[in-house]
Amino acid sequence: MSQPDKPSARPRLEVKVLDARLHDYMPNYATLGSAGMDLRALLEAPLTLEPGQCELIRTGLAIHIGDPGLAGLILPRSGLGHKHGIVLGNLVGLIDSDYQGELMISTWNRGNAPFVLEPFERLAQYVLVPVVQAELQIVDDFEASLRGAGGFGSSGRQ
Ligand SMILES: O=c1ccn([C@H]2C[C@H](O)[C@@H](COP(=O)(O)OP(=O)(O)OP(=O)(O)O)O2)c(=O)[nH]1
Ligand SMILES: [Mg+2]
């Protein structure tokens, strides 16, 4: 594409700031091409996560997407996950378009060393994605496909 960094029209999402300190730390896209906005840990003091420990961490923000054609994803930050083993207890957070509560981050230390999470540290990222809702239609048989029911490595490894 000739202008890969050209910003496209952005949906406008309503956000409630549940803790006034967050006004100084509102999520944003770090670069024009960033897919996610970083979410910060709303903590009163540093929190030590022991190896294997998982805690639900507040973000202080509620985002109402309001459009069933969109959803939010909470994803780990790659640096925290790869270098420090700080990932999500639910692996991925899926935020429904009608959810109006506070965004919470299930924070899991899957590593071998304690990790100290600092107040307002960027902990995870929020990605807005398109969603298609489906209707299920019950049938007795499918029209045959090339793959059929083959899966889980049925095509080999090479
Ligand atoms: O990491 C997450 C995952 C979910 N949520 C919120 C938003 C989401 O819309 C709601 C419900 O999430 P989900 O449907 O994944 O959880 P559930 O266990 O099925 O709960 P529920 O019965 O409320 O749907 O919880 C978060 O704040 N953070
Ligand atoms: Mg659910």
PDB file of all heavy atoms in Angstrom, residues 74 90 92-99 102-106, ligand 1:
ATOM      1  N   ILE A  74      -8.594  -8.271  25.112  1.00  0.00           N
ATOM      2  CA  ILE A  74      -7.475  -7.916  25.980  1.00  0.00           C
ATOM      3  C   ILE A  74      -6.401  -8.963  25.743  1.00  0.00           C
ATOM      4  O   ILE A  74      -6.643 -10.173  25.868  1.00  0.00           O
ATOM      5  CB  ILE A  74      -7.892  -7.859  27.461  1.00  0.00           C
ATOM      6  CG1 ILE A  74      -8.920  -6.736  27.675  1.00  0.00           C
ATOM      7  CG2 ILE A  74      -6.673  -7.626  28.348  1.00  0.00           C
ATOM      8  CD1 ILE A  74      -9.396  -6.592  29.106  1.00  0.00           C
ATOM      9  N   ASN A  90      -6.749 -15.831  31.716  1.00  0.00           N
ATOM     10  CA  ASN A  90      -7.738 -16.371  30.784  1.00  0.00           C
ATOM     11  C   ASN A  90      -7.167 -16.436  29.368  1.00  0.00           C
ATOM     12  O   ASN A  90      -7.914 -16.614  28.413  1.00  0.00           O
ATOM     13  CB  ASN A  90      -9.026 -15.550  30.810  1.00  0.00           C
ATOM     14  CG  ASN A  90      -8.779 -14.054  30.714  1.00  0.00           C
ATOM     15  OD1 ASN A  90      -7.635 -13.591  30.753  1.00  0.00           O
ATOM     16  ND2 ASN A  90      -9.841 -13.273  30.565  1.00  0.00           N
ATOM     17  N   VAL A  92      -6.813 -14.938  26.792  1.00  0.00           N
ATOM     18  CA  VAL A  92      -7.310 -13.787  26.030  1.00  0.00           C
ATOM     19  C   VAL A  92      -8.574 -13.301  26.722  1.00  0.00           C
ATOM     20  O   VAL A  92      -9.407 -14.118  27.112  1.00  0.00           O
ATOM     21  CB  VAL A  92      -7.665 -14.188  24.580  1.00  0.00           C
ATOM     22  CG1 VAL A  92      -8.332 -13.030  23.844  1.00  0.00           C
ATOM     23  CG2 VAL A  92      -6.436 -14.669  23.820  1.00  0.00           C
ATOM     24  N   GLY A  93      -8.722 -12.009  26.885  1.00  0.00           N
ATOM     25  CA  GLY A  93      -9.965 -11.462  27.418  1.00  0.00           C
ATOM     26  C   GLY A  93     -10.849 -11.018  26.259  1.00  0.00           C
ATOM     27  O   GLY A  93     -10.395 -10.298  25.374  1.00  0.00           O
ATOM     28  N   LEU A  94     -12.093 -11.491  26.250  1.00  0.00           N
ATOM     29  CA  LEU A  94     -13.044 -11.101  25.204  1.00  0.00           C
ATOM     30  C   LEU A  94     -14.066 -10.161  25.826  1.00  0.00           C
ATOM     31  O   LEU A  94     -14.751 -10.532  26.795  1.00  0.00           O
ATOM     32  CB  LEU A  94     -13.729 -12.342  24.617  1.00  0.00           C
ATOM     33  CG  LEU A  94     -14.805 -12.090  23.569  1.00  0.00           C
ATOM     34  CD1 LEU A  94     -14.253 -11.326  22.367  1.00  0.00           C
ATOM     35  CD2 LEU A  94     -15.426 -13.404  23.129  1.00  0.00           C
ATOM     36  N   ILE A  95     -14.162  -8.962  25.302  1.00  0.00           N
ATOM     37  CA  ILE A  95     -15.043  -7.944  25.870  1.00  0.00           C
ATOM     38  C   ILE A  95     -16.263  -7.781  24.973  1.00  0.00           C
ATOM     39  O   ILE A  95     -16.154  -7.370  23.807  1.00  0.00           O
ATOM     40  CB  ILE A  95     -14.305  -6.590  26.007  1.00  0.00           C
ATOM     41  CG1 ILE A  95     -12.925  -6.769  26.655  1.00  0.00           C
ATOM     42  CG2 ILE A  95     -15.170  -5.603  26.770  1.00  0.00           C
ATOM     43  CD1 ILE A  95     -12.939  -7.406  28.029  1.00  0.00           C
ATOM     44  N   ASP A  96     -17.428  -8.120  25.519  1.00  0.00           N
ATOM     45  CA  ASP A  96     -18.674  -8.036  24.753  1.00  0.00           C
ATOM     46  C   ASP A  96     -19.033  -6.583  24.474  1.00  0.00           C
ATOM     47  O   ASP A  96     -18.746  -5.688  25.276  1.00  0.00           O
ATOM     48  CB  ASP A  96     -19.804  -8.700  25.558  1.00  0.00           C
ATOM     49  CG  ASP A  96     -19.525 -10.163  25.827  1.00  0.00           C
ATOM     50  OD1 ASP A  96     -19.586 -10.962  24.877  1.00  0.00           O
ATOM     51  OD2 ASP A  96     -19.237 -10.511  26.995  1.00  0.00           O
ATOM     52  N   SER A  97     -19.735  -6.375  23.364  1.00  0.00           N
ATOM     53  CA  SER A  97     -20.063  -4.998  22.981  1.00  0.00           C
ATOM     54  C   SER A  97     -21.057  -4.360  23.937  1.00  0.00           C
ATOM     55  O   SER A  97     -21.180  -3.136  23.988  1.00  0.00           O
ATOM     56  CB  SER A  97     -20.605  -4.958  21.550  1.00  0.00           C
ATOM     57  OG  SER A  97     -21.854  -5.616  21.488  1.00  0.00           O
ATOM     58  N   ASP A  98     -21.789  -5.212  24.705  1.00  0.00           N
ATOM     59  CA  ASP A  98     -22.755  -4.643  25.648  1.00  0.00           C
ATOM     60  C   ASP A  98     -22.217  -4.594  27.078  1.00  0.00           C
ATOM     61  O   ASP A  98     -22.958  -4.264  28.006  1.00  0.00           O
ATOM     62  CB  ASP A  98     -24.093  -5.413  25.598  1.00  0.00           C
ATOM     63  CG  ASP A  98     -23.930  -6.922  25.771  1.00  0.00           C
ATOM     64  OD1 ASP A  98     -22.775  -7.388  25.875  1.00  0.00           O
ATOM     65  OD2 ASP A  98     -24.956  -7.626  25.793  1.00  0.00           O
ATOM     66  N   TYR A  99     -20.961  -4.905  27.277  1.00  0.00           N
ATOM     67  CA  TYR A  99     -20.361  -4.848  28.619  1.00  0.00           C
ATOM     68  C   TYR A  99     -20.091  -3.396  29.003  1.00  0.00           C
ATOM     69  O   TYR A  99     -19.459  -2.650  28.224  1.00  0.00           O
ATOM     70  CB  TYR A  99     -19.062  -5.653  28.642  1.00  0.00           C
ATOM     71  CG  TYR A  99     -18.363  -5.661  29.988  1.00  0.00           C
ATOM     72  CD1 TYR A  99     -18.912  -6.319  31.083  1.00  0.00           C
ATOM     73  CD2 TYR A  99     -17.141  -5.014  30.166  1.00  0.00           C
ATOM     74  CE1 TYR A  99     -18.265  -6.339  32.313  1.00  0.00           C
ATOM     75  CE2 TYR A  99     -16.482  -5.039  31.386  1.00  0.00           C
ATOM     76  CZ  TYR A  99     -17.054  -5.700  32.459  1.00  0.00           C
ATOM     77  OH  TYR A  99     -16.410  -5.718  33.670  1.00  0.00           O
ATOM     78  N   GLU A 102     -16.173  -2.305  34.505  1.00  0.00           N
ATOM     79  CA  GLU A 102     -14.750  -1.970  34.450  1.00  0.00           C
ATOM     80  C   GLU A 102     -13.978  -3.066  33.706  1.00  0.00           C
ATOM     81  O   GLU A 102     -14.235  -4.254  33.897  1.00  0.00           O
ATOM     82  CB  GLU A 102     -14.219  -1.833  35.887  1.00  0.00           C
ATOM     83  CG  GLU A 102     -12.753  -1.485  35.971  1.00  0.00           C
ATOM     84  CD  GLU A 102     -12.346  -1.118  37.398  1.00  0.00           C
ATOM     85  OE1 GLU A 102     -13.198  -1.148  38.316  1.00  0.00           O
ATOM     86  OE2 GLU A 102     -11.154  -0.806  37.579  1.00  0.00           O
ATOM     87  N   LEU A 103     -13.057  -2.661  32.861  1.00  0.00           N
ATOM     88  CA  LEU A 103     -12.175  -3.634  32.213  1.00  0.00           C
ATOM     89  C   LEU A 103     -11.221  -4.181  33.269  1.00  0.00           C
ATOM     90  O   LEU A 103     -10.555  -3.415  33.974  1.00  0.00           O
ATOM     91  CB  LEU A 103     -11.388  -2.974  31.077  1.00  0.00           C
ATOM     92  CG  LEU A 103     -12.207  -2.492  29.894  1.00  0.00           C
ATOM     93  CD1 LEU A 103     -11.304  -1.755  28.904  1.00  0.00           C
ATOM     94  CD2 LEU A 103     -12.918  -3.656  29.204  1.00  0.00           C
ATOM     95  N   MET A 104     -11.163  -5.493  33.376  1.00  0.00           N
ATOM     96  CA  MET A 104     -10.324  -6.157  34.366  1.00  0.00           C
ATOM     97  C   MET A 104      -9.299  -7.027  33.638  1.00  0.00           C
ATOM     98  O   MET A 104      -9.618  -7.634  32.602  1.00  0.00           O
ATOM     99  CB  MET A 104     -11.184  -7.015  35.294  1.00  0.00           C
ATOM    100  CG  MET A 104     -12.300  -6.271  36.005  1.00  0.00           C
ATOM    101  SD  MET A 104     -11.724  -5.028  37.167  1.00  0.00           S
ATOM    102  CE  MET A 104     -11.097  -6.046  38.484  1.00  0.00           C
ATOM    103  N   ILE A 105      -8.132  -7.101  34.205  1.00  0.00           N
ATOM    104  CA  ILE A 105      -7.055  -7.866  33.566  1.00  0.00           C
ATOM    105  C   ILE A 105      -6.667  -9.023  34.488  1.00  0.00           C
ATOM    106  O   ILE A 105      -6.138  -8.802  35.590  1.00  0.00           O
ATOM    107  CB  ILE A 105      -5.826  -6.982  33.282  1.00  0.00           C
ATOM    108  CG1 ILE A 105      -6.225  -5.806  32.392  1.00  0.00           C
ATOM    109  CG2 ILE A 105      -4.718  -7.805  32.631  1.00  0.00           C
ATOM    110  CD1 ILE A 105      -5.122  -4.776  32.212  1.00  0.00           C
ATOM    111  N   SER A 106      -6.957 -10.230  34.049  1.00  0.00           N
ATOM    112  CA  SER A 106      -6.547 -11.417  34.801  1.00  0.00           C
ATOM    113  C   SER A 106      -5.047 -11.601  34.556  1.00  0.00           C
ATOM    114  O   SER A 106      -4.623 -11.925  33.454  1.00  0.00           O
ATOM    115  CB  SER A 106      -7.346 -12.629  34.303  1.00  0.00           C
ATOM    116  OG  SER A 106      -6.845 -13.804  34.894  1.00  0.00           O
TER     117      SER A 106
HETATM  118  O1  LIG B   1     -10.258 -10.334  30.513  1.00  0.00           O
HETATM  119  C1  LIG B   1     -11.447 -10.004  30.640  1.00  0.00           C
HETATM  120  C2  LIG B   1     -12.501 -10.804  30.179  1.00  0.00           C
HETATM  121  C3  LIG B   1     -13.807 -10.374  30.367  1.00  0.00           C
HETATM  122  N1  LIG B   1     -14.069  -9.190  30.975  1.00  0.00           N
HETATM  123  C4  LIG B   1     -15.440  -8.739  31.114  1.00  0.00           C
HETATM  124  C5  LIG B   1     -15.963  -8.184  29.796  1.00  0.00           C
HETATM  125  C6  LIG B   1     -16.778  -9.306  29.228  1.00  0.00           C
HETATM  126  O2  LIG B   1     -17.801  -8.826  28.374  1.00  0.00           O
HETATM  127  C7  LIG B   1     -17.327  -9.930  30.502  1.00  0.00           C
HETATM  128  C8  LIG B   1     -17.717 -11.356  30.352  1.00  0.00           C
HETATM  129  O3  LIG B   1     -16.622 -12.066  29.813  1.00  0.00           O
HETATM  130  P1  LIG B   1     -16.808 -13.582  29.353  1.00  0.00           P
HETATM  131  O4  LIG B   1     -18.082 -13.766  28.616  1.00  0.00           O
HETATM  132  O5  LIG B   1     -15.549 -13.997  28.672  1.00  0.00           O
HETATM  133  O6  LIG B   1     -16.821 -14.322  30.773  1.00  0.00           O
HETATM  134  P2  LIG B   1     -17.864 -15.339  31.386  1.00  0.00           P
HETATM  135  O7  LIG B   1     -17.115 -16.147  32.355  1.00  0.00           O
HETATM  136  O8  LIG B   1     -18.603 -16.073  30.283  1.00  0.00           O
HETATM  137  O9  LIG B   1     -18.826 -14.370  32.179  1.00  0.00           O
HETATM  138  P3  LIG B   1     -20.375 -13.951  31.878  1.00  0.00           P
HETATM  139  O10 LIG B   1     -21.172 -15.067  32.427  1.00  0.00           O
HETATM  140  O11 LIG B   1     -20.544 -12.655  32.600  1.00  0.00           O
HETATM  141  O12 LIG B   1     -20.513 -13.796  30.382  1.00  0.00           O
HETATM  142  O13 LIG B   1     -16.271  -9.820  31.465  1.00  0.00           O
HETATM  143  C9  LIG B   1     -13.021  -8.386  31.415  1.00  0.00           C
HETATM  144  O14 LIG B   1     -13.213  -7.301  31.953  1.00  0.00           O
HETATM  145  N2  LIG B   1     -11.744  -8.817  31.240  1.00  0.00           N
END
